[in-house]
Amino acid sequence: MMKLGGWKAGLLAILGLVIAVAIWQWEPQEAPLLNDSTTSESMKPLSAGFFDQHVEPVLTQRCVVCHACYDAPCQLKMSSAEGLARGANKEKVYQGTRLTAATPNRLFIDAQNVDEWRQRDFFTVLPETVETEDSPPPTQSSVLAQMLLLKQANPLPETTHLGEGFDISLNRPQQCPTLDEMGSYIAEQPLGGMPYALPGLTNEEQQTLMRWLHNGAPLPKAQPLPDALLKRADKFEAWLNGNSNKAQLSARYIYEHLFTSHLYFEALSEEGVTPQFFNLVRSLTPPGEPLDVVATRRPFDHPGTDRVWYRLQPVTSTIVSKTHQPYAINDDLMAKWNAWFVEAEFDVPELPSYKPEVAANPLTAFTLMPVNTRYRFMLERAQNTIMGYIKGPVCRGQVALNVINDRFWVFFVDPEVATSEKLNRFYASQKENLHLPAEQESTALAVSWVKYAEHQGDYLRARTDFMNDTFRQGQHLSLKSIWDGDGNNTNATLTVFRHFDNATVAKGLVGEPTKTAWVIDYALLERIHYLLVAGFDVYGNYGHQLMTRLYMDFLRMEGESNFLALLPPQTRHQQLSEWYQQAGPELTDFIEGDINSFEQDTGIEYSSDNPKSELYSMLKQALENVQPKSSSLRSNWLSDDQLALLGSLDTLSPEQATILPEITMLMVRPDNGEGEPEMFTLLRNSAHYNVSSLFEEDENRNYGQDSVTLVQGLLGSYPDVFWQINASEVQNMVAKVKRIKSESDYEAFITDYGVRRTNPAFWQFSDEVIQWALSRYPIEGGLLDYNRLEDR
């Protein structure tokens, strides 16, 4: 055998040592699991109701504010006993680049017990054993306990900002350690305890959770509902589940539009008390039997059975604002439903198919049902209908929301115009052009988009021809073409606020006149719902989500074109050009080409050189009776001068507006400390040259047109920052805001008036906000989400 020379052998030996050291260094470091220092206190047995009285409040106010909805870190939803028992999962729900659809993991839908969730790779975060003399303490067999103890051992640094050891970006890598991985996590992430990047729990809160965990973390069972509520639910389910084809089609329509809503019975709701909410679900079992939920990706997918039953599933989770759509069931509504669905004359000889090309298109699936029924149903609670695509299938929706402006007003075509027989025949003739991307299901090819774009173009050309012909004989679109809410419905006008990757829908015309506005007719409202709510799959692949986003471009422009049809013909293209500055040639061709060539005169007489502003004024006056209560700032104890000063924040310069975050929530306290504070929300409206850019949104930003809107109360689900002041500080605070010119100015301002996430009193302040919201919004409100709190 050949022998190596001495120097070569020595070199190899050194190289081997280097490699060995490198391998040793790359091996994950582990730390021992943590022990509870308050073991004697934690070992006390639990009393009856301990979870409801002591544990649940801590979990709600300290954990659920980050761990709810699809974007809960590690899919750990701590808003219910079922979510705690399910545990965590390493897979990300929001993964927009995936090539194939992911498996849905929806709590209460896709699996019904812990064993089924374990088969789906969810792992427990609760103790796996109850402590005995020979076993390790339960806190060492619980991921949740280790996370809490890690925070206790390594509290938040006493600094103004978090520092480099924290990553609070929304798309940060998820750690999601199992119990076997906790040693490595503790060694590598000493500041990764829970609550993450926020102050730790108080000693009392820590002891409460540790005592519960030491005793095996028992979870409560759902309590039976009161008899009066059960009887009312039974009556509602009986109404929904008639045997005739007409009744089954009506129930299917109602379900496909309300499956994201939280239904409640108004007559049984105590004033000032949060009612019992229900989800409307499809079940394999009829009323009177235990629920057997049909778990399909979309509400219109084939249920796998000849007959489904529409049932009420009690909501047992903590109500969080970002997914909460309260929907009151009352005598007035049921009378309207009876008129629209039961008494309306229409025959259903055969129920529509569940084939995707039929079921994904409501204009095909429900063609036997009068358009008046369908449109009236959606208009009655139009805020809820529009809110569905914001609070329904998504909790983080930049892909869906970067297709809309940051603030715009919404009006609706009057039902008498939208449901004429001539118009219905036109809709029927356009079924082939009105297919929606959802028919491609959840794993779609983005190239299919070309087909839908062509069909949409054909539809808009046909629609333009139809309108030009219809309004040729001296008829014109006018203010009478706009729904006036039947004189009493405050859903007649809406304001949509976008906050980058989330949004809010408010009743009324909020703030200064908007850059753009939509006028929505039946076909547009229906397609928005089936595109972004019923047909959107958050677990879908890249192609599905891309096609959804691209198709929404056309629906937005359709709504804008409806609004422009009320303006003089010569100003329509000029206005479009202002809305779509720096747009690409494809969009410019679309705007200026034959697709959008409605040229008939409007029936509105204009007298100024600013017809859009004049139109806004006329619409506000015509719809004055259905505007919500005065939108002006008001208070029982703040002076008019103080309110006027706060209201002047609306006049901040674009430069100042750009520095502010998306959503700022402000608490103003009485100087004497007595009485409830007032809450306000300051919203940044980010301006864009156009909203047709798919990816590079920053390149489309028109910072010189940014603005802010101040509203009373809490608006939005995801605060970026909290401010707090005493009433006597209003003048100084407003003056300092108006002097902000740079990031350093803003940081100094937050030091004076902000409640940073590093503030030791953060949780005390948070509790005040929660209690304020609960008392002011017992039905509409819900917990805020803290995943977007800034560190500035």
Side-chain angles (χ1 to χ4, degrees):
M1 179 180 293
M2 185 187 306
K3 293 185 178 181
L4 294 171
W7 70 270
K8 292 182 179 179
L11 181 61
L12 287 176
I14 294 172
L15 183 60
L17 180 62
V18 170
I19 293 173
V21 170
I23 292 174
W24 175 82
Q25 288 179 335
W26 276 102
E27 288 181 352
Q29 302 300 298
E30 291 204 12
L33 296 182
L34 302 170
N35 286 316
D36 181 13
S37 60
T38 59
T39 302
S40 59
E41 178 68 23
S42 300
M43 286 295 291
K44 290 182 180 179
L46 305 182
S47 58
F50 184 82
F51 182 91
D52 292 333
Q53 297 172 22
H54 302 285
V55 176
E56 193 271 340
V58 177
L59 293 177
T60 295
Q61 294 174 219
R62 302 292 179 265
C63 306
V64 178
V65 288
C66 288
H67 284 272
C69 198
Y70 294 114
D71 60 351
C74 305
Q75 296 192 57
L76 177 56
K77 294 184 69 172
M78 304 180 73
S79 51
S80 67
E82 292 83 354
L84 287 163
R86 179 179 76 161
N89 186 298
K90 293 178 179 290
E91 185 179 12
K92 272 191 172 185
V93 174
Y94 290 99
Q95 192 75 353
T97 58
R98 55 178 166 241
L99 298 179
T100 59
T103 300
N105 283 312
R106 297 161 296 181
L107 195 61
F108 303 110
I109 296 177
D110 295 308
Q112 301 303 317
N113 55 56
V114 171
D115 289 339
E116 291 180 7
W117 287 121
R118 296 295 170 264
Q119 294 171 13
R120 289 168 169 260
D121 295 328
F122 280 79
F123 57 88
T124 185
V125 298
L126 302 178
E128 299 190 54
T129 59
V130 178
E131 185 174 4
T132 65
E133 291 183 1
D134 300 326
S135 65
T139 51
Q140 290 199 0
S141 66
S142 164
V143 171
L144 177 58
Q146 289 296 302
M147 287 293 191
L148 293 170
L149 292 171
L150 181 59
K151 184 71 171 197
Q152 187 179 52
N154 299 279
L156 202 66
E158 294 182 6
T159 56
T160 300
H161 297 292
L162 291 172
E164 296 181 358
F166 294 92
D167 182 358
I168 58 172
S169 59
L170 277 180
N171 295 315
R172 64 181 180 270
Q174 293 188 157
Q175 303 296 326
C176 309
T178 63
L179 187 63
D180 291 340
E181 297 164 340
M182 275 307 304
S184 299
Y185 181 85
I186 291 170
E188 297 170 8
Q189 303 284 339
L191 294 174
M194 297 295 149
Y196 180 70
L198 287 164
L201 306 183
T202 65
N203 289 335
E204 182 181 358
E205 292 165 344
Q206 185 86 359
Q207 288 180 11
T208 294
L209 295 188
M210 285 301 156
R211 184 177 169 191
W212 172 60
L213 291 163
H214 265 292
N215 281 273
L219 295 168
K221 295 182 178 180
Q223 297 299 308
L225 299 178
D227 288 343
L229 193 55
L230 286 173
K231 289 179 180 178
R232 186 65 186 85
D234 290 344
K235 181 180 178 182
F236 183 75
E237 287 186 347
W239 186 92
L240 274 177
N241 288 288
N243 291 320
S244 69
N245 283 353
K246 181 180 178 181
Q248 290 186 56
L249 184 66
S250 297
R252 175 173 168 177
Y253 186 84
I254 292 169
Y255 162 71
E256 291 184 12
H257 288 77
L258 296 186
F259 73 100
T260 64
S261 297
H262 286 157
L263 280 62
Y264 70 99
F265 297 107
E266 197 169 62
L268 300 178
S269 302
E270 298 180 41
E271 186 175 350
V273 176
T274 301
Q276 172 64 56
F277 294 105
F278 296 88
N279 290 318
L280 186 58
V281 300
R282 295 192 294 183
S283 175
L284 298 175
T285 51
E289 296 183 17
L291 276 174
D292 188 357
V293 176
V294 175
T296 55
R297 284 182 179 269
R298 282 168 286 260
F300 52 73
D301 287 342
H302 199 297
T305 183
D306 292 335
R307 174 77 191 267
V308 294
W309 307 89
Y310 299 96
R311 306 283 304 278
L312 292 176
Q313 180 187 53
V315 174
T316 58
S317 301
T318 302
I319 298 299
V320 294
S321 172
K322 59 188 173 183
T323 60
H324 186 42
Q325 292 179 245
Y327 196 98
I329 304 297
N330 52 40
D331 291 343
D332 178 64
L333 182 75
M334 293 307 300
K336 291 177 179 177
W337 283 12
N338 274 306
W340 298 333
F341 295 105
V342 179
E343 298 166 9
E345 295 184 5
F346 62 97
D347 296 321
V348 185
E350 185 178 359
L351 290 171
S353 166
Y354 281 107
K355 292 180 180 179
E357 61 269 23
V358 174
N361 184 352
L363 302 181
T364 300
F366 299 103
T367 188
L368 296 175
M369 184 181 293
V371 171
N372 183 64
T373 290
R374 293 178 261 166
Y375 191 38
R376 282 286 186 180
F377 174 85
M378 290 187 290
L379 277 187
E380 179 67 19
R381 305 282 175 84
Q383 182 191 30
N384 185 78
T385 305
I386 298 296
M387 194 185 295
Y389 87 81
I390 289 164
K391 291 192 173 185
V394 296
C395 306
R396 187 186 306 173
Q398 189 198 2
V399 170
L401 294 175
N402 71 0
V403 73
I404 63 174
N405 282 285
D406 263 43
R407 186 174 66 91
F408 59 94
W409 287 344
V410 176
F411 306 90
F412 299 93
V413 174
D414 186 85
E416 297 305 314
V417 175
T419 61
S420 70
E421 280 304 314
K422 189 174 181 180
L423 188 57
N424 291 345
R425 289 194 297 271
F426 169 73
Y427 288 148
S429 72
Q430 293 298 306
K431 286 192 294 187
E432 288 304 311
N433 286 330
L434 293 175
H435 286 283
L436 291 167
E439 69 181 15
Q440 297 290 320
E441 303 186 78
S442 297
T443 299
L445 296 175
V447 293
S448 301
W449 161 246
V450 175
K451 177 182 71 174
Y452 291 101
E454 290 175 350
H455 282 315
Q456 178 67 9
D458 290 342
Y459 166 71
L460 290 179
R461 290 186 187 94
R463 180 175 171 273
T464 297
D465 291 342
F466 172 80
M467 291 177 65
N468 280 324
D469 180 67
T470 299
F471 296 103
R472 184 170 291 141
Q473 307 302 322
Q475 301 178 39
H476 304 290
L477 288 172
S478 67
L479 293 181
K480 292 182 179 179
S481 307
I482 302 300
W483 183 48
D484 66 355
D486 303 319
N488 56 23
N489 192 326
T490 54
N491 286 271
T493 58
L494 303 173
T495 301
V496 177
F497 291 92
R498 178 197 168 196
H499 326 294
F500 185 62
D501 67 351
N502 59 94
T504 311
V505 184
K507 289 182 180 180
L509 304 175
V510 182
E512 294 298 311
T514 55
K515 172 185 174 182
T516 66
W518 298 8
V519 172
I520 298 179
D521 62 6
Y522 162 69
L524 180 56
L525 188 58
E526 195 79 275
R527 283 180 294 149
I528 289 174
H529 177 79
Y530 275 80
L531 179 73
L532 296 178
V533 186
F536 184 79
D537 181 11
V538 71
Y539 294 94
N541 77 329
Y542 171 77
H544 165 72
Q545 298 192 25
L546 176 61
M547 282 204 299
T548 300
R549 161 62 178 81
L550 291 171
Y551 197 98
M552 187 58 201
D553 250 332
F554 290 119
L555 298 190
R556 180 199 66 247
M557 287 187 281
E558 194 174 322
E560 292 170 343
S561 294
N562 289 343
F563 173 77
L564 293 176
L566 297 172
L567 293 175
Q570 64 271 21
T571 67
R572 293 169 190 165
H573 287 285
Q574 176 188 350
Q575 191 64 64
L576 273 174
S577 297
E578 291 179 11
W579 292 354
Y580 290 95
Q581 298 176 45
Q582 302 183 12
E586 298 85 1
L587 185 63
T588 302
D589 290 344
F590 177 85
I591 292 172
E592 297 178 353
D594 65 330
I595 289 178
N596 198 40
S597 58
F598 177 59
E599 301 296 344
Q600 295 299 321
D601 287 336
T602 177
I604 302 172
E605 294 185 6
Y606 291 93
S607 59
S608 73
D609 57 359
N610 190 342
K612 186 181 79 169
S613 177
E614 196 174 349
L615 175 59
Y616 277 149
S617 296
M618 288 187 283
L619 285 167
K620 292 182 80 169
Q621 183 177 357
L623 301 171
E624 183 178 5
N625 291 337
V626 289
Q627 293 303 298
K629 293 180 181 178
S630 175
S631 58
S632 60
L633 304 182
R634 57 198 182 279
S635 173
N636 291 329
W637 54 270
L638 280 170
S639 70
D640 290 344
D641 288 343
Q642 290 170 325
L643 291 172
L645 282 168
L646 290 170
S648 71
L649 292 174
D650 275 358
T651 64
L652 290 179
S653 69
E655 178 187 18
Q656 293 163 329
T658 299
I659 295 172
L660 297 178
E662 300 279 351
I663 299 179
T664 299
M665 293 183 175
L666 164 66
M667 178 181 286
V668 183
R669 305 175 187 276
D671 288 317
N672 58 15
E674 298 179 2
E676 280 195 342
E678 293 283 9
M679 295 290 301
F680 302 88
T681 306
L682 190 63
L683 304 158
R684 188 185 81 203
N685 308 311
S686 300
H688 299 78
Y689 290 110
N690 66 77
V691 286
S692 62
S693 175
L694 182 59
F695 300 110
E696 301 299 330
E697 183 169 348
D698 285 345
E699 294 182 6
N700 243 359
R701 284 278 279 110
N702 184 3
Y703 295 98
Q705 296 297 318
D706 283 358
S707 63
V708 297
T709 301
L710 182 77
V711 297
Q712 189 150 16
L714 299 181
L715 194 151
S717 303
Y718 305 86
D720 294 287
V721 67
F722 291 110
W723 300 350
Q724 65 171 340
I725 59 172
N726 291 326
S728 58
E729 298 176 285
V730 167
Q731 184 172 358
N732 286 338
M733 185 274 291
V734 171
K736 287 186 178 181
V737 173
K738 293 183 176 181
R739 288 198 295 269
I740 293 175
K741 300 294 183 183
S742 64
E743 186 66 29
S744 60
D745 290 343
Y746 177 79
E747 184 175 345
F749 176 86
I750 293 299
T751 299
D752 290 339
Y753 301 111
V755 184
R756 286 190 172 98
R757 60 188 307 148
T758 56
N759 191 320
F762 176 85
W763 289 120
Q764 181 182 344
F765 177 83
S766 171
D767 290 344
E768 286 186 76
V769 174
I770 291 172
Q771 291 304 313
W772 187 94
L774 185 63
S775 66
R776 296 294 181 96
Y777 312 120
I779 294 175
E780 298 85 1
L783 284 182
L784 300 173
D785 184 283
Y786 290 166
N787 279 297
R788 289 161 180 77
L789 286 174
E790 294 184 336
D791 179 34
R792 294 170 68 185

